[in-house]
Amino acid sequence: MKVKVLCRNPDDYVRETTRDIQRVPRNYDPTLHPFEVPREYTRALNATKLERVFAKPFVASLDGHRDGISCITKHAKSLSTIISGACDGEVKVWNLPRQECLRTVQAHEGFVRGICSRFCGTSFFTVGDDKTIKQWNWEAPGYGVREEPINTILGKAVFTGIDHHQREGTFVTCGQTVDIWDEQRSSPIRSFSWGVDSFSCVRYNPVETELLASCASDRSVVLYDTRESAPLRKVIMQLRSNTLCWNPMEAYYFTCANEDYNLYTYDIRHLDVPVTVHMDHVSAVLDVDYSPTGREFVSASFDKTIRIFPKDKGHSREVYHTKRMQHVICVRWSADNKYVLSGSDEMNIRLWKANASEKLGLLSAREKAATHYNKKLIEKFQHHPQVRRIARHRHLPGDILKQKRELREMREARRRKEQNVRKHSKPGSVPLLTEKEKHVVAVVE
Amino acid sequence: MQNENLVQISFFNQLMLVHPRKKQNERSEASVQVSEYFVNAEGTGDKVNLSDLLGTVEKTSGASNKTKKQLRNLQSSKETLELPLNKQQTEKIQRGIAYEKTTAEVSCWKNIILQNQKAEQMVFPLNQESSGPKRVEQVVAGWKVQTPLEQEIFRLLHGSRQPVNDPVLTPVEEQSLKAMSLEEAKIRRAELQKARALQSYYEAKAKREKKIKSKKYHKVQNKAKRKDFLKQFDEMVKTNPEGALEELKKMELSRMEERMSLKHQNSGKWAKSKAIMAKYDDSARKAMQEQLQMNKDLTQKMVVPSDDEHESIEEGLETVPDFVNDPETVIDPVNPWMRGQLTHEEPEVSCVTAEEVQTAEEENEEEEIIGEFERKRKLRQADEEDLIPTEEERKKIQEDVSEFNTLFRLMRSEKTREGSNQTRGGLNTAGEEDEEGLLSEGQIRVRSIEDLEVLDEVVEPRAIEEPSAPQTAAAEATSEPPHKKKREINLKEVLTKEAKAVRLPFLPTVVDEEERDEQISIIKEAFAGDDVISDFIKDKSRQEAAGRPAVVDLTLPGWGEWGGVGLKPPRWKRKRFRIKTAPPPPRQDQKLPDVIISEKRTASVASHQVSQLPFPFQNTAQFESSIRTPIGSTWNTQTVVKNMTKPKVVTKLGAIIEPMVKEDFIKSKTTSAGDLVFLSNCPEKINFIIFFCCKP
């Protein structure tokens, strides 16, 4: 006699451990799950709302400086360490997770103009208003030992900026000229000058490590190659650029923060027109730094806000501000792409999340899946008016809002005027310029 | 050399031109030193010619032909050297060259950058090294050569393509590794294991089957085998006639054996006992008959059918098609597509390895499932639309139409109706407002979900305009007066068109004719009081009339004409001043007698609808399809959801993301080529290195 038995594989219905959720066999037949679009839309809307509700970007404030922060640098090898320089010549080393100052050095007389970390993370350089370049050890001296720089170089003029090579023992400073220094020597191994006597910022390209770019006071951005005897090319804009930053993942793009409230991303192969004009700030942009992934950058402005821009979008995706934060002078994006640091006039360094609504810390697999799904949903329904409206809403302080409106009106008036001029002049005599073309005055070879 | 000559000659020329030399008296007495400044040209006046100075070169045998030629050319040319450029210009040229060089160098990143921009997912940090202890060679890699001996050795090592740093293996070793990589070996082993397992499984099965004592089992088995064999034989006749002949012979032989033996005949022990039992037992009789039948079958001569016979058989078959006898496939009203699934062909198994087959099957399964769901979803959507009986064309068009499509159409039509009377400036500002990615910044601080709701009212104060309906009154006037007389509803009378049966996919609609009649009568009875259907028709015609554009009458009495009420203006005036607007697009319910589709924009839904085609999409269909596909785990399997929702950028927690390093991404071609040349030049050095390496 044959006995027929129903046989089931326990793997299909028994969970592996008691901490697992119960296995529920699912039937994916679409008739059993109708109204896909409306249901997903509701989920997307909820996800958007929750994203905004959980958007709490401010993490911590590091106070201790006795003057405005003038520069911040990350440690090359440690995520938890940063250095900041203040306008009274004080340099502080901070531990981020403990939110405390590890070490204070009176590095210069007057401003600390620039700090850069050596690529190996053993020492850092500072330049100040006292015409010196000082090299400091990352390690604090022992108890009772005075803070002394490893090396001090006395220059002829004030240095305004410094940056270190990505892999070699050379660094570059700017002031009256752009100088390239060897760490072992006390005089520059090369100086570049090109009809300007004042530079505000110089940066090494992190990918093409022999390339340099600097912002000069004659409203220009100058490119250099350390292997060549002369500078490469310069582009003159309508107003001065304060700082610039190279994209760490895309060798030929850099973004400069301009006095005219905008940021400009350039392709060094085509300097005559910027690739993108990033506008949203309502006052001069003072600093810019790329995220280590090269997808976004953060900018600090005189209008007391920080904004995060996608690298190829004309407008910011995020704006950070607090009541107490004054003019933001320097800003950096942390090397793990998670945080943004800002140093401002009122002596505080602030730590922000790069992604405002992100949950910090380790996520379980289910949490991760849920966040990914929610993100995708928001992306999928981003064009729907309700989702867009909620996702795009940001709170702004009243005065900035007012300035923004004012600016918009001014822009509109200018546009109208231009239109009228065009209307009443000979056809073709007033050319139609795009926003990108308007800001470049000349490219000098 | 040439340059020097050039300079000298030009110098000479200039001297000659500028200062016409005084005639010197030639001294005739011989001296040891003859000054070159007192050389005098004979016969040509005061100017010294180049040919005079260089004439001797022509005669000397040591000078090469090339130099002679160059000198001759120089004699004929009379240009002076150009002045060197000034500093600014030289620097400009230098800068230009340097810039070109740098741009060319930087451009090699183009492909990588484009690739990264297009990549679906980027994982940072880019080059993740495996954590754990490193090999000695890797640690040593950072070491720099210093002494000349070391340099010499390293040069040789590089020349022989012996790995010094990063690729720790020689090319040969790498190739051999590639030829037999770990993964391949694993796959191969897995295959072998599987093959072995299968073999043992089949062996075990065969053993088990052999042990089975059940006669019935074997009988069935044998029967199946025989059938199989016959089938094969039939095929063989078609494909391989010789083989078939041999088979036939074998069969003949077996038939003879069967005839000779007493098997399957009445003489056996079992047969005898059955014969006794047959009187009383029906089953025994049956068994007997079966046995005899078997004998008959086995001893019958095999007849190879000729072609015409075959045809006749086929004809016979054709008269009664196969599927007549097939059991009717029951279509599940809930799953009407089940039939399709049953006829779905099994994927053919080709001669691929077992492992591949398995993986492929896994993938196939998943894809199949997904595909099936997609199909089902479409079917269902089509079904939902088919609920509304329409013409064939409409059906075709509407097959892929979702709710969004209709909404879109509505919106577009409304837009066109609104016209383009908006001012340019207004449009521009609106565009600026709506630009992608622009944050809408305001003074409201969002703290809770309620705030988000409030946000709505503040930000969007403009109410959605309802299309005005001034013609409704007129429409009502034109519609028929309401029936006062009560009467029983006659469906045939009221509905001009035969209503098609509505198929509901969700519920089984198995209703008998009688039942239906009964139901109809019940409905009739229930609604005897109110005339629903005529009301409905009235309602519909009213709405249709409201949608129709009215004729705008602009006629006015002119000079010398009568004015007042009840006058009929002349024909030409009526023609000229009565403006007929273009008819609106046909109503969606135009051909559906028993449906009213409202084409009005509903405000409550409208705020959730997309009013413009978003940027990257070319047409509405694209956008709709992007929305229609669900990505949640409610509708998709786990892996699909995982794939669909994977983020664009993944970063590791607590890892420093370094900038790109050129050496990792852009291979320098020059070095490898140089190595090759070096290698081909010095084969004996390789031997030396081998010797060197072997030495402890």
Side-chain angles (χ1 to χ4, degrees):
Chain A
M1 195 182 79
K2 202 166 190 179
V3 180
K4 287 185 178 174
V5 201
L6 272 180
C7 169
R8 287 206 292 165
N9 186 0
D11 281 351
D12 294 337
Y13 57 90
V14 174
R15 52 188 175 163
E16 281 173 12
T17 66
T18 45
R19 302 185 66 191
D20 261 354
I21 47 166
Q22 292 285 0
R23 254 171 196 272
V24 184
R26 293 211 13 86
N27 189 348
Y28 291 105
D29 188 344
T31 48
L32 301 176
H33 309 288
F35 305 120
E36 312 95 348
V37 180
R39 282 165 79 186
E40 285 220 315
Y41 173 74
T42 319
R43 286 180 196 180
L45 201 59
N46 287 341
T48 324
K49 286 176 181 175
L50 286 180
E51 194 206 10
R52 287 328 304 158
V53 167
F54 288 130
K56 303 265 183 272
F58 182 70
V59 180
S61 165
L62 312 175
D63 55 341
H65 272 297
R66 284 171 293 184
D67 208 337
I69 316 290
S70 61
C71 44
I72 301 179
T73 301
K74 303 169 270 185
H75 191 284
K77 295 287 173 199
S78 156
L79 279 175
S80 57
T81 320
I82 59 157
I83 343 167
S84 61
C87 296
D88 59 351
E90 208 175 46
V91 169
K92 274 179 186 283
V93 180
W94 301 90
N95 185 317
L96 287 180
R98 272 152 53 196
Q99 300 174 19
E100 65 179 20
C101 177
L102 299 178
R103 190 179 156 199
T104 309
V105 187
Q106 185 62 40
H108 295 277
E109 288 164 23
F111 278 54
V112 179
R113 289 290 176 183
I115 304 181
C116 71
S117 170
R118 202 169 184 278
F119 58 91
C120 58
T122 53
S123 61
F124 63 90
F125 295 82
T126 58
V127 291
D129 271 355
D130 54 357
K131 302 184 189 175
T132 53
I133 306 170
K134 288 182 180 171
Q135 187 181 6
W136 304 85
N137 208 333
W138 266 108
E139 294 293 319
Y143 181 74
V145 184
R146 265 189 68 195
E147 288 273 8
E148 289 280 346
I150 304 172
N151 205 355
T152 306
I153 300 167
L154 191 64
K156 289 190 187 93
V158 174
F159 299 107
T160 52
I162 186 168
D163 195 22
H164 202 283
H165 191 279
Q166 199 68 29
R167 278 187 290 280
E168 285 167 18
T170 56
F171 60 91
V172 62
T173 60
C174 64
Q176 287 189 356
T177 55
V178 171
D179 299 326
I180 295 165
W181 303 74
D182 192 333
E183 283 175 1
Q184 310 299 326
R185 298 190 189 191
S186 59
S187 58
I189 51 174
R190 179 169 304 163
S191 297
F192 291 112
S193 61
W194 184 0
V196 209
D197 60 352
S198 161
F199 292 90
S200 61
C201 168
V202 65
R203 290 283 188 100
Y204 264 112
N205 187 332
V207 187
E208 284 285 339
T209 47
E210 303 305 321
L211 269 181
L212 284 171
S214 69
C215 300
S217 62
D218 69 338
R219 305 171 294 157
S220 66
V221 174
V222 192
L223 294 179
Y224 309 89
D225 191 329
T226 52
R227 293 160 296 189
E228 306 291 343
S229 59
L232 300 180
R233 189 158 286 198
K234 83 175 159 188
V235 53
I236 300 176
M237 301 169 74
Q238 279 191 331
L239 284 183
R240 188 168 71 100
S241 296
N242 285 316
T243 42
L244 60 81
C245 188
W246 291 92
N247 190 329
M249 290 292 157
E250 299 179 355
Y252 44 72
Y253 290 115
F254 68 84
T255 301
C256 54
N258 207 286
E259 283 281 326
D260 64 0
Y261 313 169
N262 297 338
L263 292 115
Y264 301 94
T265 300
Y266 278 99
D267 181 343
I268 61 167
R269 299 167 302 165
H270 314 285
L271 284 172
D272 45 350
V273 176
V275 180
T276 324
V277 180
H278 311 274
M279 26 183 29
D280 257 354
H281 280 297
V282 292
S283 191
V285 192
L286 299 182
D287 200 7
V288 58
D289 192 35
Y290 261 96
S291 79
T293 58
R295 299 287 170 116
E296 288 170 328
F297 59 82
V298 60
S299 66
S301 168
F302 200 72
D303 62 11
K304 307 173 189 177
T305 60
I306 303 169
R307 281 180 187 269
I308 296 175
F309 293 84
K311 69 156 201 271
D312 46 3
K313 292 275 163 57
H315 290 278
S316 58
R317 75 155 170 83
E318 198 68 74
V319 54
Y320 294 161
H321 58 86
T322 60
K323 228 177 205 174
R324 297 181 181 186
M325 189 162 72
Q326 296 304 310
H327 314 304
V328 195
I329 293 175
C330 47
V331 70
R332 286 290 175 274
W333 200 305
S334 78
D336 61 347
N337 198 33
K338 283 266 186 291
Y339 300 98
V340 166
L341 289 151
S342 71
S344 42
D345 248 1
E346 86 311 324
M347 306 178 273
N348 277 319
I349 298 168
R350 288 195 169 76
L351 185 64
W352 309 85
K353 285 194 272 185
N355 205 346
S357 57
E358 194 183 35
K359 194 183 173 197
L360 293 179
L362 275 176
L363 297 184
S364 69
R366 290 175 62 203
E367 270 179 313
K368 226 181 254 175
T371 45
H372 290 168
Y373 178 48
N374 283 346
K375 239 182 222 169
K376 199 76 189 175
L377 275 182
I378 295 172
E379 193 192 317
K380 184 182 167 187
F381 289 97
Q382 62 183 336
H383 303 296
H384 288 250
Q386 295 291 310
V387 174
R388 197 175 49 183
R389 176 181 61 80
I390 295 168
R392 283 187 352 185
H393 176 80
R394 295 290 181 283
H395 169 255
L396 263 194
D399 48 343
I400 295 177
L401 204 64
K402 217 169 75 186
Q403 279 188 62
K404 203 182 150 191
R405 282 193 197 124
E406 211 170 277
L407 269 180
R408 192 197 292 155
E409 237 160 69
M410 283 161 68
R411 205 174 296 132
E412 183 58 29
R414 222 171 289 142
R415 196 187 61 82
R416 207 165 42 235
K417 167 127 192 180
E418 200 181 306
Q419 237 174 24
N420 288 342
V421 169
R422 190 171 296 118
K423 208 187 288 171
H424 294 290
S425 52
K426 201 172 141 195
S429 62
V430 183
L432 205 72
L433 284 178
T434 58
E435 188 63 37
K436 287 176 191 172
E437 289 162 341
K438 272 177 197 168
H439 304 281
V440 176
V441 175
V443 178
V444 186
E445 282 186 21
Chain B
M1 176 73 190
Q2 195 187 343
N3 281 339
E4 256 179 45
N5 275 340
L6 241 159
V7 172
Q8 275 179 8
I9 289 157
S10 62
F11 175 64
F12 256 97
N13 278 339
Q14 279 170 356
L15 269 183
M16 298 302 115
L17 290 171
V18 178
H19 305 289
R21 161 186 286 282
K22 278 184 184 174
K23 238 184 182 181
Q24 298 274 338
N25 289 329
E26 193 183 346
R27 282 202 234 158
S28 54
E29 66 258 41
S31 70
V32 185
Q33 288 182 332
V34 181
S35 167
E36 56 185 292
Y37 297 113
F38 298 110
V39 175
N40 225 3
E42 279 177 291
T44 49
D46 17 357
K47 201 177 173 188
V48 179
N49 226 345
L50 187 64
S51 57
D52 296 338
L53 293 173
L54 298 173
T56 48
V57 179
E58 292 278 338
K59 285 158 201 164
T60 47
S61 55
S64 67
N65 277 331
K66 206 178 169 188
T67 29
K68 281 177 189 170
K69 202 176 181 182
Q70 280 173 348
L71 284 171
R72 254 176 263 142
N73 283 341
L74 275 175
Q75 278 180 42
S76 57
S77 70
K78 286 181 179 169
E79 289 164 10
T80 54
L81 276 187
E82 281 175 26
L83 272 177
L85 286 172
N86 58 9
K87 200 182 165 195
Q88 281 80 12
Q89 275 170 321
T90 35
E91 275 184 353
K92 191 177 176 185
I93 290 168
Q94 273 178 357
R95 284 196 298 260
I97 292 166
Y99 178 73
E100 292 300 323
K101 214 167 118 189
T102 318
T103 27
E105 196 182 331
V106 162
S107 298
C108 67
W109 284 99
K110 198 171 155 192
N111 286 335
I112 292 164
I113 289 172
L114 277 179
Q115 195 184 316
N116 286 352
Q117 278 170 357
K118 279 181 198 161
E120 278 188 14
Q121 191 176 43
M122 288 280 285
V123 182
F124 294 101
L126 284 176
N127 282 345
Q128 282 187 0
E129 282 181 15
S130 57
S131 60
K134 284 176 183 173
R135 279 175 291 188
V136 181
E137 296 91 328
Q138 284 169 337
V139 177
V140 166
W143 183 56
K144 271 190 179 177
V145 245
Q146 277 147 359
T147 64
L149 178 66
E150 281 172 353
Q151 279 173 3
E152 179 84 3
I153 290 163
F154 264 74
R155 213 172 52 240
L156 291 174
L157 281 176
H158 279 297
S160 67
R161 299 172 75 197
Q162 281 295 324
V164 181
N165 40 30
D166 212 13
V168 180
L169 304 167
T170 56
V172 183
E173 280 173 329
E174 254 177 16
Q175 274 175 5
S176 64
L177 261 187
K178 242 182 220 168
M180 192 66 195
S181 70
L182 183 64
E183 277 174 32
E184 271 179 40
K186 270 183 187 167
I187 292 169
R188 174 112 185 91
R189 200 182 66 173
E191 276 170 23
L192 284 175
Q193 269 179 348
K194 193 163 189 194
R196 237 174 283 137
L198 275 177
Q199 198 183 346
S200 65
Y201 166 71
Y202 280 123
E203 273 172 10
K205 196 181 172 191
K207 250 183 211 168
R208 212 171 51 235
E209 277 176 1
K210 218 177 167 188
K211 266 188 188 170
I212 292 171
K213 281 179 181 166
S214 157
K215 275 188 177 170
K216 193 176 178 188
Y217 172 81
H218 284 292
K219 219 191 267 172
V220 170
Q221 199 84 338
N222 284 337
K223 204 174 178 185
K225 266 185 197 165
R226 235 175 289 139
K227 247 187 185 171
D228 221 39
F229 175 74
L230 270 178
K231 222 185 214 171
Q232 272 183 6
F233 179 76
D234 275 353
E235 266 189 20
M236 232 180 187
V237 169
K238 277 172 204 160
T239 54
N240 184 10
E242 283 122 54
L245 254 178
E246 236 157 70
E247 285 292 305
L248 204 66
K249 268 179 194 167
K250 266 188 204 165
M251 274 160 79
E252 187 62 33
L253 210 71
S254 70
R255 190 183 70 84
M256 280 151 90
E257 271 172 11
E258 179 68 32
R259 278 178 60 129
M260 270 148 66
S261 74
L262 293 176
K263 252 184 180 177
H264 302 119
Q265 286 186 10
N266 289 347
S267 51
K269 201 174 168 187
W270 175 82
K272 274 174 187 165
S273 69
K274 286 282 159 186
I276 296 162
M277 291 296 289
K279 283 177 193 168
Y280 316 106
D281 194 355
D282 221 23
S283 63
R285 207 179 302 149
K286 225 178 227 171
M288 281 282 295
Q289 275 170 358
E290 265 177 26
Q291 170 113 342
L292 286 174
Q293 185 62 36
M294 176 92 78
N295 187 29
K296 230 182 205 175
D297 285 350
L298 286 174
T299 51
Q300 208 170 27
K301 240 188 177 180
M302 211 36 194
V303 184
V304 180
S306 64
D307 282 358
D308 46 2
E309 270 176 341
H310 202 72
E311 268 182 17
S312 70
I313 289 163
E314 272 185 359
E315 273 174 17
L317 279 177
E318 266 174 351
T319 49
V320 183
D322 259 17
F323 56 82
V324 171
N325 295 328
D326 283 352
E328 176 74 12
T329 50
V330 182
I331 302 166
D332 192 350
V334 184
N335 276 3
W337 41 77
M338 274 307 280
R339 189 201 269 165
Q341 199 183 16
L342 284 171
T343 54
H344 190 73
E345 274 188 7
E346 289 292 321
E348 278 189 7
V349 181
S350 54
C351 51
V352 258
T353 56
E355 185 75 20
E356 277 177 344
V357 168
Q358 203 191 1
T359 51
E361 268 178 11
E362 277 172 15
E363 281 175 6
N364 277 348
E365 263 178 56
E366 207 145 83
E367 274 170 28
E368 250 175 72
I369 290 168
I370 296 160
E372 208 169 294
F373 286 155
E374 190 60 33
R375 216 180 56 230
K376 283 182 188 180
R377 202 165 287 128
K378 270 189 190 158
L379 252 174
R380 208 193 73 219
Q381 273 158 2
D383 275 357
E384 276 171 10
E385 269 138 29
D386 283 359
L387 291 179
I388 304 154
T390 50
E391 286 182 354
E392 283 298 311
E393 291 171 56
R394 267 186 85 85
K395 254 187 208 169
K396 268 180 205 163
I397 295 161
Q398 284 196 339
E399 210 152 37
D400 56 346
V401 170
S402 71
E403 50 195 324
F404 274 90
N405 208 342
T406 52
L407 292 173
F408 260 101
R409 254 187 236 150
L410 275 179
M411 272 165 222
R412 248 184 290 155
S413 60
E414 198 152 314
K415 260 193 180 174
T416 48
R417 242 177 278 160
E418 271 176 10
S420 58
N421 50 359
Q422 272 179 298
T423 56
R424 256 234 156 137
L427 266 178
N428 272 336
T429 49
E432 254 176 51
E433 287 278 321
D434 284 345
E435 200 188 332
E436 275 312 304
L438 192 58
L439 296 177
S440 64
E441 287 148 353
Q443 275 186 302
I444 303 156
R445 202 188 281 275
V446 174
R447 288 204 182 82
S448 63
I449 293 190
E450 285 73 40
D451 289 346
L452 290 168
E453 298 296 344
V454 172
L455 205 76
D456 185 15
E457 289 150 26
V458 179
V459 174
E460 285 201 3
R462 46 203 155 136
I464 296 104
E465 288 168 37
E466 294 270 331
S468 58
Q471 297 98 344
T472 42
E476 268 176 323
T478 52
S479 66
E480 310 155 54
H483 292 266
K484 275 158 195 161
K485 203 176 89 188
K486 285 178 187 172
R487 58 178 182 187
E488 259 197 342
I489 300 160
N490 192 350
L491 273 174
K492 291 267 167 58
E493 191 184 283
V494 169
L495 298 178
T496 49
K497 252 190 175 181
E498 187 96 25
K500 282 181 192 170
V502 175
R503 265 195 307 124
L504 278 168
F506 297 106
L507 291 168
T509 52
V510 190
V511 184
D512 287 345
E513 277 295 306
E514 292 169 24
E515 267 183 50
R516 205 212 258 151
D517 286 342
E518 208 175 303
Q519 272 188 346
I520 288 172
S521 61
I522 288 169
I523 291 170
K524 273 181 192 170
E525 230 174 280
F527 291 100
D530 43 355
D531 194 358
V532 191
I533 290 178
S534 66
D535 279 353
F536 175 82
I537 287 170
K538 246 183 286 162
D539 208 23
K540 191 177 177 185
S541 63
R542 200 187 303 143
Q543 289 205 13
E544 271 174 6
R548 241 174 269 138
V551 178
V552 182
D553 197 352
L554 295 174
T555 48
L556 287 172
W559 284 110
E561 267 184 59
W562 286 103
V565 190
L567 281 171
K568 204 179 177 190
R571 200 195 209 169
W572 67 270
K573 245 184 188 176
R574 265 182 288 153
K575 220 176 187 179
R576 195 164 166 193
F577 290 107
R578 292 186 66 177
I579 296 159
K580 276 182 188 172
T581 47
R587 284 179 67 91
Q588 287 192 324
D589 55 5
Q590 199 181 18
K591 283 163 186 169
L592 313 172
D594 42 2
V595 179
I596 299 176
I597 298 175
S598 168
E599 297 186 15
K600 260 188 212 162
R601 187 183 152 100
T602 46
S604 60
V605 182
S607 67
H608 291 273
Q609 285 168 343
V610 180
S611 55
Q612 277 176 329
L613 190 63
F615 158 60
F617 298 102
Q618 301 285 324
N619 47 38
T620 48
Q622 267 180 13
F623 178 63
E624 279 157 27
S625 73
S626 84
I627 293 294
R628 205 183 306 137
T629 328
I631 52 175
S633 54
T634 320
W635 298 274
N636 295 303
T637 55
Q638 202 182 1
T639 39
V640 174
V641 172
K642 212 173 177 183
N643 270 333
M644 282 172 125
T645 61
K646 69 178 177 189
K648 270 194 177 149
V649 175
V650 177
T651 54
K652 210 178 147 199
L653 212 62
I656 292 178
I657 302 167
E658 299 279 359
M660 277 184 176
V661 180
K662 194 171 187 183
E663 286 74 41
D664 294 353
F665 290 92
I666 295 165
K667 305 275 180 313
S668 55
K669 289 159 197 163
T670 50
T671 53
S672 58
D675 282 351
L676 274 175
V677 170
F678 194 75
L679 181 70
S680 59
N681 283 345
C682 49
E684 68 278 2
K685 277 179 183 170
I686 299 166
N687 292 338
F688 162 70
I689 285 158
I690 292 164
F691 166 72
F692 181 81
C693 294
C694 293
K695 234 179 153 184

